[in-house]
Amino acid sequence: MTEENKWERVSGSTEEAERIYRKSRSFLGDVWFRFRHKPTALLGFILVVILLVFCLAGPAFTPYSYSEQNNKLASIPPLLTVYPGPEEGSYLYITQGLKLIEVDEDGNLIRQLKKKKDDNTNKQTSFTWDDDTLVYLDYSRLPNTVLDADGNRIETGLKKWNNTYRLGTDQLGRDILTRLMYGTRISLMVAFIAALVNMVIGIAYGGISGYLGGRTDTIMMRIVDIISTIPLTLYVILIKMCLDDGLLSIIIALSSVYWVDMARVVRGEMLSLKNQEFVLAARTIGSSTKTILLNHLIPNAMGPILVTVTMLIPSAIFMEAFMSFIGIGIAPPMASLGTMCNDATETLRTNPYQLFLPALVICIIMFAFNFVGDGLRDALDPKLKK
Amino acid sequence: MKEETAVLQVKGLTKHFPVAGHKVVHAVDDVSFSVSRGKTLGLVGESGCGKSSCARTIIRIYEPTAGKILLDGDDISLLNQKQLLPYRKKMQMIFQDPYASLNARMTVHDIVAEPLKAHKICSSRKEENEMVSDMLARVGLNRDHAGRYAHEFSGGQRQRVGIARALILKPELVICDEPISALDVSIQAQVVNMLRNFQEELGLTYLFIAHDLSMVRYVSDDVGVMYLGQLVEKCEADEIYRHPLHPYTAGLLSSIPVPNPRLAQEKEKSGLEGDLPSPIAPPSGCRFHTRCPYASSCCREEAPELKEASSGHFVACHRIHN
């Protein structure tokens, strides 16, 4: 375009004027775009996926079951302190019960040695290695150690990663990794089902309350107020006391009280949405109440609802873990992150890893869902549109 | 105005909203008018004077407190929402804000097809598609737009989607609640002309609500002026601009900006002073007396009736009738 014809009229049809050049992106496409451009949200999402794979596919790859006990191999840590054995490439690990376990070069647990004689005066125990070799365990002073061929204490042990039980065993000799998988599975299942049930109840209750408004709203919201004046934890414990132990009752307990937050959120959304012009338009058109609720109100309230759900999941997981921890949750031998923590407290000083590992998984789950919830909140807010 | 050709007749329509402390907002008080088939009645007034409440009561978003609404001679003021359904087909509404009146989660197709679904007009998906794309073409949008979401459109385009939604059922009465006040000036004319074309084509009857007086003159056959929930003057459009009788109407007209600054200087300054009194406790007598330059003691005590001053020119003012 040259200087001279700069102000000339450009020819073009009206058709052209109405054309939209921007790529069409649906609402969900838009949300996903904003979600994946937020690093923490994406990290949370990836963590959730990893957790799901871990708890769903994981058990298929482990040779152990969550309930199989092996008292001989109880409380074996993931990092072993071993002493050289009588043969080249063999090592000995001293259990907390003062027994000897043969460990190979790679950290595999081979066998438990048979005890031959306990010498109380010298505080030494002899174990049979094979038919004509004995090994001696010296427990006269700490650290307990093994005597070498000349009868001297081997003061420094080697560190070796446990290759048989990657994350060690608990005090009943159950593989912690396997139990973590099942525990995560239970935790996530409880959380998802509870969140889903809460979502349905919350949407229905809050939706009716907000949409009808007036006296109905006042009465329904006062009921919610009454429920929420008493701490929810107390309700859950009380409900749990009345029911049997088990997964179902924990889900019932969580589902029956946590919907109050959801109901409040939905009700607030309904109140602000129901007088918007597009809802009035639907009413003047003659759309049924069902259409108005399902096509207009709930889809537009979905943002805050989703955020509340993702924030509800970590609190449900925490609640489940908490209840299992105080002993009214999942019945043994079923694993749950909470029960695993609870079991570990008894031997916290000697086996801190037994508490640390399930606690770490709880932390990761909480982080992941909070990140996802946070990311969703930003992604669903159209004001932050890019 | 002959009774038999009136599409919409409103008789003594009253809408009061209860507010906290057992008080009542007198949004619409005893308003009566009628609109003949194929004509446009413009309803003007300051914001807060009850124009929109009046429209929303007529279309039964709000329950009327008293009065009758006759649509084609049938009283619809007491029907419940289910009984109203067949009448909904005959009257539709175009909303003020093209951003708020379209559901952001729905495609244009779904928005325009919603009335068809609500009244179960189409028997097949194909028929529905055809009707929707036909309607979109008539408001100047094309087929590709149907699959897009409302937020992708400009204000003018959105308002045309709103018009398409209102007109797809081929209603008799269309209530336009300030359909252009949220649009920018270049698009206002486009939308107004489109509405006028549709009126000629489909024989629509409009109840046109606006606060832009010059625009109302352009689109309306008759004009009603509302003040604080009451109709104070009503007559043929050009007449009201030439001979405003009610002092409020005169005040409103003087507030229209004049494009020529020399003429504007000559123009008599008789603009309105003061604010709209609270509709919770409207002034006694003539509601305008608090701001009226000609108010007398009679105005403070006795409410004037809407009476014919000259042929077809109705006004509610003691000064004119005495």
Side-chain angles (χ1 to χ4, degrees), chain A residues 239-258:
Chain A
I239 293 170
K240 197 68 202 21
M241 293 311 237
C242 304
L243 300 167
D244 297 335
D245 273 3
L247 196 58
L248 186 68
S249 58
I250 218 169
I251 289 172
I252 291 172
L254 283 176
S255 309
S256 48
V257 290
Y258 270 75

Side-chain angles (χ1 to χ4, degrees), chain B residues 58-110:
Chain B
I58 290 169
I59 205 148
R60 291 291 311 275
I61 293 175
Y62 299 154
E63 296 295 312
T65 311
K68 281 183 178 175
I69 305 159
L70 301 173
L71 186 68
D72 267 344
D74 300 331
D75 187 2
I76 60 162
S77 59
L78 295 170
L79 301 180
N80 64 31
Q81 293 297 332
K82 207 167 189 178
Q83 293 166 322
L84 265 174
L85 203 59
Y87 294 98
R88 292 252 179 246
K89 239 194 276 189
K90 292 187 186 176
M91 55 175 186
Q92 284 294 314
M93 189 155 174
I94 297 168
F95 288 85
Q96 175 177 6
D97 185 352
Y99 291 87
S101 65
L102 304 180
N103 186 346
R105 302 283 190 278
M106 282 163 81
T107 61
V108 166
H109 175 93
D110 290 334

Side-chain angles (χ1 to χ4, degrees), chain B residues 23-26 228 277-284 287 290:
Chain B
K23 286 175 188 155
V24 164
V25 174
H26 300 252
L228 216 58
S278 163
I280 293 175
S284 61
R287 289 192 180 175
T290 50

Side-chain angles (χ1 to χ4, degrees), chain B residues 9-249:
Chain B
Q9 262 187 295
V10 175
K11 288 179 183 169
L13 187 70
T14 305
K15 175 66 197 171
H16 292 171
F17 292 102
V19 285
H22 298 287
K23 286 175 188 155
V24 164
V25 174
H26 300 252
V28 183
D29 243 342
D30 197 18
V31 167
S32 303
F33 58 81
S34 69
V35 197
S36 313
R37 187 173 300 278
K39 299 282 182 195
T40 302
L41 174 70
L43 217 49
V44 293
E46 290 171 274
S47 26
C49 72
K51 305 175 305 251
S52 287
S53 297
C54 184
R56 290 178 178 190
T57 313
I58 290 169
I59 205 148
R60 291 291 311 275
I61 293 175
Y62 299 154
E63 296 295 312
T65 311
K68 281 183 178 175
I69 305 159
L70 301 173
L71 186 68
D72 267 344
D74 300 331
D75 187 2
I76 60 162
S77 59
L78 295 170
L79 301 180
N80 64 31
Q81 293 297 332
K82 207 167 189 178
Q83 293 166 322
L84 265 174
L85 203 59
Y87 294 98
R88 292 252 179 246
K89 239 194 276 189
K90 292 187 186 176
M91 55 175 186
Q92 284 294 314
M93 189 155 174
I94 297 168
F95 288 85
Q96 175 177 6
D97 185 352
Y99 291 87
S101 65
L102 304 180
N103 186 346
R105 302 283 190 278
M106 282 163 81
T107 61
V108 166
H109 175 93
D110 290 334
I111 290 169
V112 178
E114 194 183 353
L116 299 176
K117 286 186 184 126
H119 294 278
K120 299 188 178 66
I121 286 180
C122 296
S123 50
S124 68
R125 179 88 190 164
K126 192 166 164 263
E127 195 186 339
E128 183 190 295
N129 283 342
E130 252 164 48
M131 282 186 82
V132 169
S133 46
D134 179 51
M135 195 65 229
L136 285 179
R138 291 176 82 161
V139 296
L141 298 171
N142 59 43
R143 202 179 277 267
D144 309 340
H145 292 139
R148 288 181 175 265
Y149 289 85
H151 65 81
E152 300 176 55
F153 291 90
S154 67
Q157 286 173 320
R158 284 161 154 261
Q159 194 58 295
R160 280 184 274 158
V161 173
I163 292 171
R165 172 176 64 187
L167 298 185
I168 196 161
L169 289 174
K170 306 209 164 42
E172 293 174 18
L173 172 71
V174 177
I175 298 179
C176 310
D177 186 4
E178 310 202 18
I180 55 160
S181 51
L183 303 176
D184 72 62
V185 185
S186 61
I187 300 185
Q188 288 188 349
Q190 191 191 2
V191 170
V192 165
N193 286 330
M194 177 180 288
L195 287 173
R196 283 184 67 145
N197 291 340
F198 275 118
Q199 183 166 37
E200 279 169 28
E201 238 175 276
L202 304 169
L204 299 175
T205 306
Y206 286 137
L207 176 61
F208 201 98
I209 292 165
H211 52 242
D212 181 347
L213 289 157
S214 44
M215 226 283 307
V216 168
R217 184 179 193 174
Y218 177 66
V219 294
S220 309
D221 298 296
D222 296 298
V223 172
V225 181
M226 278 188 81
Y227 181 76
L228 216 58
Q230 290 180 325
L231 205 57
V232 293
E233 188 165 5
K234 184 178 74 178
C235 82
E236 197 263 306
D238 284 334
E239 169 74 8
I240 214 164
Y241 286 90
R242 277 197 300 269
H243 305 293
L245 292 179
H246 199 280
Y248 177 64
T249 316

Side-chain angles (χ1 to χ4, degrees), chain A residues 32 54 80 86 99 135 139 210 215 223 276 294 297 302 327 353 355 372 385:
Chain A
W32 173 236
F54 174 70
L80 306 168
K99 302 214 168 69
V135 280
Y139 58 97
R215 193 176 293 268
I223 293 172
Q276 296 247 325
L294 295 182
L297 293 173
M302 218 53 214
Y353 68 93
L355 177 66
V372 169
K385 196 167 189 164

